[in-house]
Amino acid sequence: MNPESLPMDPHAQPGTRTARDAAVAWFTKLRDPLLRASERAEFTRWRNADPANAAAYAEIEAVWKQLDDVPSPAPLDAAERTSRFTASFETLRPVLAPLAAAACVALLAVGWIALPEGGANALFADVRTATGEVRSMRLADGTDAWLDAGSALSLDVTGKERRVTLIAGRAFFKVHHEARPFVVAVDNAEVHDIGTAFEVERQREGGGRVAVSEGSVEVAVPGKPRAPLSAGEGATFDATIVSRRQVSSEDVAAWRAQRLVFIDAGLKDVLAELERHGAGHVIVTDRALENRRITGAFDARRPEAALAAILDLAGARAWHLWAVTVVRPSS
C-alpha cells in the first residue's frame, strides 16, 4: 500500500473534512522526506487540538501497521485465485466502472475522429484528401477534377461509360467532352454531365447537392424523371426528392480558392464543412440550433476563426474538450 494513494488536503478549511480524512492526509504528508519542522509542529497542534483528531490518526497508524505485518501469501491454486479475483473485482467495481466508461468514451472518440468521413469505404477510395487538403488532378479521360478537404472518390472507366462515385465530401469537375457518358454517383442518385463544369457534394446523412457553373447536367433519382439543371442552378437531392435553387456561378466550388461560402445554410452542414477544413470534431447538443441558418463567406485557411465567427452568428458558444468542440446555445 502506498500512502501517496491517499490524497487529502490537511490544510482544508475546518468543517470541509472529517477527522479521519485529515488524519489520512497528515499520515501521507508526514512521510515526505522534505517535510519542514514547521509542518511537523503544525501536525502536532492539529492532533492535540481535538481528541477526535488524535483518535483518527492513531487508527490510521494501526491500520498501516497491520498492513505492514501481513505475511507474504502462500501460492494459490487456480480455483482460489479465481475466487480471490472475483471478490476483489466486486469490491472495486464502483471505482472501475466509471474508469472503464471513460476509457471507452476516449477510445470511441479517437476512432470516430480517426475514421474518415464515408467510413471504411473511404479508406479504399481511388483518390482521397486529408483534413484541410484541397487537391486538383486530371483524370485518365482528360477531365479536370478538384477534391475538397476530407473527400474521397472512386473511378470506374470502361469502354462505354466514365463513372465516378463520390464516397465522401465534394468534388468539382470540368468534364472532357467525348462520346462516353460522364456520371457522378452519390448514394442512389446520379448526376449526368451534358458538357459542363459542376460541383457535387455528398451529405453526411445521405443524399447530396449539385451546383452548375457552366453548361448543364441532369440529376436522376430512382423512380423520378431526370431533373435538368443549367449554369447558375443547383439542387439538393436524396433517394426520392430533387429541390432546386439558384446559385452564383462564381461561388460554385469557391473552396478551390480557400473560400467557404454559405447561403442560408443550416448550422449542421456548415460545421461539417468546417470539420473537413481543420476545425476539429464539432458536436451540437441542441437540435434547433443545428437548423439555424448561416449566410457568409469565410477563409478556409483559418478554420478556428471561421468557427468562432459562425457560432457568434448562430447565437452559440463552444466548450473545447480534448479534440472535440461541444456547441450549445448561448442562452
Side-chain angles (χ1 to χ4, degrees):
M1 183 172 180
N2 183 354
E4 295 298 333
S5 65
L6 304 172
M8 291 292 297
D9 181 8
H11 302 290
Q13 293 300 314
T16 64
R17 68 197 189 283
T18 66
R20 188 177 183 281
D21 291 337
V24 170
W26 275 120
F27 186 84
T28 301
K29 191 173 185 64
L30 291 174
R31 275 146 184 79
D32 184 352
L34 300 180
L35 184 73
R36 296 188 298 270
S38 59
E39 292 174 312
R40 183 171 293 279
E42 184 179 352
F43 160 71
T44 301
R45 287 193 297 272
W46 168 83
R47 184 180 57 183
N48 296 337
D50 189 329
N53 293 348
Y57 190 80
E59 180 186 1
I60 296 300
E61 282 189 312
V63 170
W64 190 264
K65 185 176 186 305
Q66 290 173 359
L67 291 172
D68 285 341
D69 291 342
V70 172
S72 299
L76 302 175
D77 60 27
E80 182 66 12
R81 284 198 300 270
T82 300
S83 176
R84 294 282 183 90
F85 174 79
T86 302
S88 299
F89 178 79
E90 291 302 323
T91 301
L92 294 173
R93 184 191 295 272
V95 177
L96 293 177
L99 291 176
C104 288
V105 169
L107 289 172
L108 286 172
V110 171
W112 188 6
I113 295 166
L115 194 64
E117 183 180 341
N121 288 336
L123 296 175
F124 301 100
D126 292 317
V127 185
R128 182 158 60 95
T129 53
T131 299
E133 176 190 11
V134 176
R135 185 188 305 178
S136 62
M137 69 203 75
R138 175 158 291 181
L139 305 184
D141 69 325
T143 293
D144 290 320
W146 288 258
L147 251 67
D148 193 9
S151 300
L153 55 81
S154 293
L155 307 171
D156 185 15
V157 179
T158 68
K160 295 182 178 181
E161 182 184 63
R162 299 168 291 168
R163 175 173 290 266
V164 175
T165 300
L166 186 61
I167 300 170
R170 58 187 177 184
F172 180 85
F173 303 96
K174 192 172 182 63
V175 180
H176 174 70
H177 301 298
E178 60 165 75
R180 292 176 298 176
F182 187 93
V183 179
V184 180
V186 183
D187 286 344
N188 294 324
E190 295 179 343
V191 179
H192 294 256
D193 165 65
I194 310 177
T196 188
F198 63 99
E199 173 189 35
V200 182
E201 177 180 359
R202 185 185 187 277
Q203 300 181 93
R204 289 187 174 184
E205 63 274 17
R209 296 189 184 94
V210 59
V212 184
S213 61
E214 299 176 20
S216 60
V217 301
E218 290 181 343
V219 181
V221 296
K224 296 287 184 178
R226 290 188 179 186
L229 298 172
S230 300
E233 292 185 309
T236 301
F237 56 85
D238 59 24
T240 59
I241 300 171
V242 174
S243 176
R244 294 174 180 270
R245 70 184 191 280
Q246 295 298 309
V247 299
S248 171
S249 295
E250 64 263 21
D251 287 337
V252 174
W255 44 266
R256 292 179 296 161
Q258 300 294 334
R259 287 194 305 129
L260 301 179
V261 178
F262 306 105
I263 307 296
D264 194 35
L267 180 63
K268 180 179 179 180
D269 296 330
V270 171
L271 295 179
E273 188 165 332
L274 285 181
E275 287 182 2
R276 290 201 295 264
H277 284 271
H281 190 64
V282 184
I283 298 174
V284 182
T285 62
D286 184 85
R287 182 63 58 86
L289 180 60
E290 285 185 333
N291 296 323
R292 291 187 186 174
R293 316 311 292 180
I294 300 295
T295 296
F298 306 89
D299 188 345
R301 295 165 297 187
R302 302 177 61 210
E304 293 180 353
L307 175 61
I310 288 166
L311 293 183
D312 186 58
L313 287 174
R317 53 182 175 170
W319 284 263
H320 302 286
L321 305 173
W322 188 48
V324 177
T325 299
V326 179
V327 174
R328 299 176 60 186
S330 294
S331 58

